[in-house]
Amino acid sequence: MTEAQREAEGGGAPELVRLRLAGRREVAGVVVGVLAAVMDESSGRAVATVHLAEQGRAGRRVEVVDGDRLRLGGETWQVVAVVPWTGERPAGVVLGRVA
Amino acid sequence: MNGFYGADVEALIDWGLRAQSSGRRLDELARTLDAAISGARWEGGDGEAFREVWNGTHGPSLRAAGSQLDGASQAVGLHAAEQEIASDVDGRIDATALAGLIGGRFSWSDVINGGQAVWDWFQDPLTIDDLGGRYIDSAEGQDFDPADVDLSAEAIAEQTVRQGSLGDCWFLAGLMAVAGTDPDFLAENIVLRPDGTWDVTLYEDGDPVTVNVSADQLAATGARVDDDGAGNFWADDPIGYMSIYEQAAINHLGPDYESVIADTPGRGLELITGAPAPDDTFLWGNPSLEDFGTALDEGRPITVMSDPLHPWRDDISTAHVYQVQGVDESTGELILVNPWGNTGEGEGDMPHVVRVSIQDYNANFVMAGVGGTPDEFGGDR
């Protein structure tokens, strides 16, 4: 499906943002940085720590696993995937905007 | 071959919905027959034998077939979601088309749980769209003029680097470290050409390499000058030497952004200065505060990489490269600078400047890159 087709159908397409470990970018007006993306040996799940910075507000660090939701600039974003650091492949977090 | 590779998403969804419906129908039939058989009056050996065969074989087989069809419908739904992501330039999913198929309604977690094992989210290289598009197409970049970028040694020495979307802290921290020891060297290695592009000199094995950078290559969420202190206002952060150097590294290392994501501290210093900067050979992995102080006094740029898994201090990012700015002898601390720039001054923010004792350094950092002295910069030039 092309972007034009999707727009013609009136949306309903969650946007995905791929954030690399140690990188930062704005998502819905909030600067999101990935502080850590590791495999939690006790739970067997990939866990990430993200830093959220909004203008005029103190930043915060949030620990997330896949499926968690974040409120960013009035929008709801879901953690689609946490790709943990292995030393061999790219690591980071994938966020998906929930319509 | 007709050039098509992958799957017809609409056909997958159609088949998945049919399989789901059929599976549920089989389950309903099994329940109906269960009730009918158990409620029927059939006494005697034949009746008992039939019920035994139904309960032991036919009934479970019917329910298993229904369950397998339902499971297959979900698997197909996940494949459809993956195909949708793979086929779309923006990596987006048409959620409405998948509604009703996965778990009864579209659910991100279904895609996550079913798809993560088979889909490497970072398999495809980042594109400039992942980085917010071109800077010159952004609101603040509309009137950008390359001649307005202050590339003087004074500006380079004073500016604060703000890292962007790329995980190239190893390179940006190296720039910061060199800017702290010899900003003139960096200024000499960026030249604005008459055509409005820049020539940047990097080094491979000590040999200079001239890399051309044009303004239309700069990404909207690339490295910039952090000029608003703790304000953390990204939108108006201007292009600076770090923006141009970052793009030069991308162009040189290529073929895409992946080439500059993650490397060692020493590699960044060598690429920038041309002088050998082997990781940790000078410090042998257990440096003293005096080792750091001596190297800094000699004018050597130093960068250090934090533990990629578990830094003990929560004000230090994992797998992150910091500039070593100085040694505070009065407190016995190393002064490190985060290439993220200022993120704010709250308790939850990541400090721009981090102070660590040598004990904390050894507990939280795994590698140091120590550059040559300024007279060694420029490699074999």
Side-chain angles (χ1 to χ4, degrees):
Chain A
M1 174 173 286
T2 65
E3 188 66 22
Q5 286 175 312
R6 185 173 290 115
E7 288 177 1
E9 291 189 8
E15 177 184 355
L16 289 179
V17 173
R18 298 188 292 174
L19 298 162
R20 283 297 174 77
L21 175 61
R24 306 171 78 204
R25 69 161 289 176
E26 277 193 348
V27 180
V30 178
V31 181
V32 183
V34 183
L35 297 171
V38 300
M39 183 61 72
D40 181 351
E41 294 174 0
S42 61
S43 67
R45 299 190 72 178
V47 180
T49 305
V50 294
H51 176 260
L52 308 176
E54 288 183 76
Q55 291 184 10
R57 299 180 62 177
R60 54 197 170 107
R61 295 170 216 168
V62 183
E63 194 171 271
V64 296
V65 297
D66 56 21
D68 284 350
R69 292 192 170 196
L70 297 168
R71 194 73 179 155
L72 303 175
E75 297 179 357
T76 301
W77 288 73
Q78 186 151 357
V79 179
V80 176
V82 173
V83 183
W85 185 89
T86 64
E88 297 175 351
R89 64 176 187 175
V93 174
V94 182
L95 300 179
R97 185 164 62 86
V98 178
Chain B
M1 293 289 287
N2 60 5
F4 177 84
Y5 185 79
D8 181 335
V9 173
E10 291 183 7
L12 284 183
I13 292 172
D14 182 58
W15 188 92
L17 290 171
R18 287 169 185 268
Q20 183 186 63
S21 173
S22 299
R24 290 176 181 175
R25 177 66 180 142
L26 285 177
D27 192 57
E28 287 173 10
L29 281 172
R31 291 170 190 274
T32 301
L33 289 171
D34 269 342
I37 290 170
S38 63
R41 190 167 185 179
W42 188 1
E43 306 295 342
D46 288 346
E48 287 182 14
F50 180 80
R51 280 190 289 274
E52 189 174 323
V53 171
W54 170 258
N55 291 328
T57 305
H58 299 316
S61 295
L62 198 56
R63 283 189 290 273
S67 177
Q68 286 171 355
L69 275 174
D70 199 38
S73 74
Q74 179 167 325
V76 163
L78 296 173
H79 281 296
E82 291 167 21
Q83 183 65 52
E84 185 87 327
I85 293 169
S87 301
D88 191 279
V89 294
D90 298 319
R92 296 180 179 186
I93 297 174
D94 182 3
T96 53
L98 288 160
L101 179 57
I102 303 173
R105 66 182 182 82
F106 179 82
S107 163
W108 274 110
S109 60
D110 289 325
V111 175
I112 294 161
N113 294 333
Q116 189 173 10
V118 295
W119 181 261
D120 183 348
W121 292 96
F122 292 129
Q123 179 176 299
D124 295 329
L126 292 178
T127 68
I128 197 164
D129 290 331
D130 287 307
L131 308 182
R134 300 191 306 175
Y135 172 73
I136 60 172
D137 294 333
S138 65
E140 66 267 32
Q142 297 273 327
D143 301 319
F144 176 70
D145 183 347
D148 291 340
V149 181
D150 188 348
L151 297 174
S152 67
E154 293 74 20
I156 290 171
E158 292 175 0
Q159 288 172 345
T160 297
V161 170
R162 190 264 280 156
Q163 183 182 345
S165 300
L166 294 171
D168 58 352
C169 47
W170 61 278
F171 184 74
L172 296 178
L175 281 177
M176 293 158 58
V178 177
T181 59
D182 192 355
D184 289 295
F185 177 76
L186 295 180
E188 291 167 7
N189 279 353
I190 307 182
V191 177
L192 177 64
R193 293 163 41 131
D195 64 0
T197 65
W198 301 275
D199 278 342
V200 178
T201 303
L202 297 173
Y203 297 86
E204 278 298 340
D205 297 325
D207 295 326
V209 180
T210 301
V211 184
N212 186 251
V213 173
S214 61
D216 62 2
Q217 294 177 312
L218 302 177
T221 62
R224 305 265 197 92
V225 181
D226 182 356
D227 67 348
D228 45 32
N232 207 30
F233 302 114
W234 272 42
D236 58 355
D237 282 350
I239 296 293
Y241 79 96
M242 70 295 293
S243 319
I244 301 164
Y245 250 102
E246 178 179 64
Q247 188 60 47
I250 295 163
N251 292 354
H252 172 59
L253 298 174
D256 49 49
Y257 297 103
E258 303 301 318
S259 60
V260 298
I261 295 175
D263 214 319
T264 65
R267 169 67 174 142
L269 295 172
E270 289 182 348
L271 189 61
I272 295 162
T273 68
D279 293 300
D280 258 352
T281 54
F282 149 80
L283 300 173
W284 296 287
N286 290 297
S288 66
L289 208 60
E290 290 71 30
D291 289 330
F292 278 111
T294 299
L296 289 169
D297 289 344
E298 292 173 351
R300 299 178 187 272
I302 306 176
T303 54
V304 293
M305 188 172 83
S306 62
D307 189 312
L309 295 177
H310 298 294
W312 297 106
R313 282 177 46 163
D314 62 6
D315 58 351
I316 297 170
S317 299
T318 64
H320 199 35
V321 179
Y322 291 74
Q323 172 202 1
V324 178
Q325 187 183 61
V327 171
D328 186 337
E329 293 180 357
S330 65
T331 60
E333 294 173 313
L334 275 179
I335 303 170
L336 311 179
V337 185
N338 187 342
W340 275 18
N342 294 288
T343 70
E345 297 177 332
E347 285 187 8
D349 286 309
M350 299 304 292
H352 182 215
V353 177
V354 185
R355 287 172 167 263
V356 296
S357 66
I358 199 64
Q359 291 79 16
D360 274 0
Y361 170 80
N362 286 320
N364 291 277
F365 289 84
V366 296
M367 190 181 295
V370 182
T373 55
D375 61 311
E376 297 172 319
F377 290 179
D380 301 326
R381 66 179 173 176

